[in-house]
């Protein structure tokens, strides 16, 4: 979208100044259980692409969102139908 | 583009609150159709959508804090207040069940044989598995504090070990309680003794499972370098919750298991 990719090996400047330091003040005990991917993720989620946070992770986010929406909205309709039927008098 | 001139977090528009409300509707009406019409479709839908909403909502909170930096000290203070208030509300929730227990056990009715434990009820020996469970939860309180100190001191490996141990102790507690439930000589239907025992300890067990899940998420985040030595509120919230669960157990043990036997 015409945005210049920020390529940097340093921790990227955070948009909001906070007192949060990166995990770099934790001594990197080599690769004990994985590398620190937080700086890359910070870059990804601070991209100025206008996406809200719940969709900012890309396609997997969209799939999960649509699944949740289908289940809740579909379920709500099913629920209203079930409650309508349950409220009908039953003749023995 | 103008930046905010305050330290609060104005969140992006999100679908999770309304989807969460819908999930609540499905779960509650699902219970009705399950109880009265023997159909578990709605209930399954409800629980599934509740799970999906929780996962995505909390995933977004992690994104907003760790990845986007929105959790300023001001925001964190608000979260602290929030967690304290939530735990307080849970304390009141349990208070109700303790009230019910004392209401029935302090003045046992003639139907119970005018005694507590009621006639015919063989309570569990408080010095057997329940005592072990008490030791387990107390130990887990120590290990979670150890984990916290390791985090503030920047010792990643030790923090991971301590938090893992805490979670394992939690699972051990749950497994032992499940076995106790299975082996107990009385059931929930056995007079008000069974009702008060299983409802109080049952809700406690559910909270142990919730607390263990919260701690497990923290372990995952700890491994993924999300926490720093001076900013790790997610972990602190989980630790507070875990201590709360421990305290509730201590009250349960002293009142229902010990005094009530």
């Amino acid at each position: 979208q015409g945005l210049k990719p920020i390529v940097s090996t340093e921790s990227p400047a955070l948009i909001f100044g906070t007192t949060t330091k990166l995990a770099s003040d934790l001594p990197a005990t080599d690769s004990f259980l994985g590398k620190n991917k937080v700086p890359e993720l910070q870059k990804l989620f601070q991209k100025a692409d206008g996406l809200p946070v719940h969709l900012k992770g890309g396609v997997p986010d969209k799939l999960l969102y649509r699944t949740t929406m289908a289940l809740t909205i579909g379920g709500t309709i099913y629920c209203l139908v079930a409650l309508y039927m349950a409220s009908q008098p039953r003749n023995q | 583009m103008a930046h905010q001139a305050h330290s609060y977090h104005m969140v992006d528009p999100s679908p999770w609150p309304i989807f969460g409300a819908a999930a609540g509707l499905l779960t509650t009406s699902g219970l009705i159709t399950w109880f009265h019409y023997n159909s578990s479709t709605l209930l399954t839908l409800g629980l599934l959508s509740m799970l999906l909403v929780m996962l995505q909502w909390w995933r977004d909170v992690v994104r907003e804090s760790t990845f986007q930096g929105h959790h300023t000290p001001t925001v964190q203070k608000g979260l602290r207040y929030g967690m304290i208030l939530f735990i307080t509300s849970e304390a009141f929730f349990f208070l109700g069940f303790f009230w019910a227990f004392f209401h029935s056990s302090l003045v046992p009715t003639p139907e119970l044989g005018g005694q507590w434990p009621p006639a015919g009820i063989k309570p569990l020996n408080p010095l057997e598995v329940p005592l072990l469970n008490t030791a387990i939860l107390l130990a887990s309180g120590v290990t979670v504090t150890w984990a916290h100190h390791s985090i503030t001191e920047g010792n990643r490996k030790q923090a991971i070990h301590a938090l893992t141990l805490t979670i394992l102790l939690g699972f051990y507690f749950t497994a032992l309680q499940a076995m106790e439930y299975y082996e107990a000589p009385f059931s929930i239907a056995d007079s008000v003794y069974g009702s008060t025992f299983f409802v109080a300890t049952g809700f406690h067990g559910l909270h142990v499972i919730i607390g263990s899940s919260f701690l497990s998420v923290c372990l995952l985040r700890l491994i993924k370098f999300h926490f720093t030595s001076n900013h790790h509120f997610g972990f602190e919230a989980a630790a507070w919750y875990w201590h709360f669960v421990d305290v509730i157990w201590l009250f349960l043990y002293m009142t229902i298991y010990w005094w009530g036997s």
Side-chain angles (χ1 to χ4, degrees), chain A residues 38-59:
Chain A
V38 171
E40 300 161 30
L41 289 164
Q42 286 172 330
K43 212 168 72 191
L44 169 68
F45 286 104
Q46 289 182 43
K47 252 193 309 191
D49 53 14
L51 285 175
V53 71
H54 67 279
L55 294 171
K56 219 166 166 74
V59 174

Side-chain angles (χ1 to χ4, degrees), chain A residues 67-89:
Chain A
T67 308
T68 311
M69 185 160 70
L71 286 174
T72 46
I73 294 182
T76 303
I77 296 169
Y78 177 68
C79 173
L80 293 172
V81 167
L83 288 174
Y84 174 76
M85 289 185 345
S87 64
Q88 302 292 326

Side-chain angles (χ1 to χ4, degrees), chain A residues 11 24 28 30 34-35 50 54-55 57 65-66 79 81-83 86:
Chain A
S11 324
S24 46
D30 305 273
K35 299 184 356 273
H54 67 279
L55 294 171
Y65 168 67
R66 289 182 180 182
C79 173
V81 167
L83 288 174

Side-chain angles (χ1 to χ4, degrees), chain A residues 16 18 20-21 23 25-27 32-36 38 42 45-46 53-54 61 64-65 68 71 75 79 86, chain B residues 4 12 15 19 26 29 37 45 56 59-60 63-64 66-70 154 156 223-225 228-229 231:
Chain A
F16 295 99
T18 69
T20 304
K21 289 172 187 45
D25 60 337
L26 286 173
F32 179 69
L33 286 179
K35 299 184 356 273
N36 186 356
V38 171
Q42 286 172 330
F45 286 104
Q46 289 182 43
V53 71
H54 67 279
D61 286 7
L64 261 177
Y65 168 67
T68 311
L71 286 174
C79 173
Chain B
Q4 65 183 46
D12 291 340
F19 285 169
L26 299 185
S29 42
Y37 302 99
L45 264 177
Q56 292 171 95
R59 173 207 68 190
D60 288 353
R63 288 179 178 179
E64 289 159 1
T66 308
F67 304 147
Q68 294 182 335
H70 285 290
R156 173 178 153 80
I223 290 171
K224 287 175 177 290
F225 297 89
T228 70
S229 54
H231 189 167

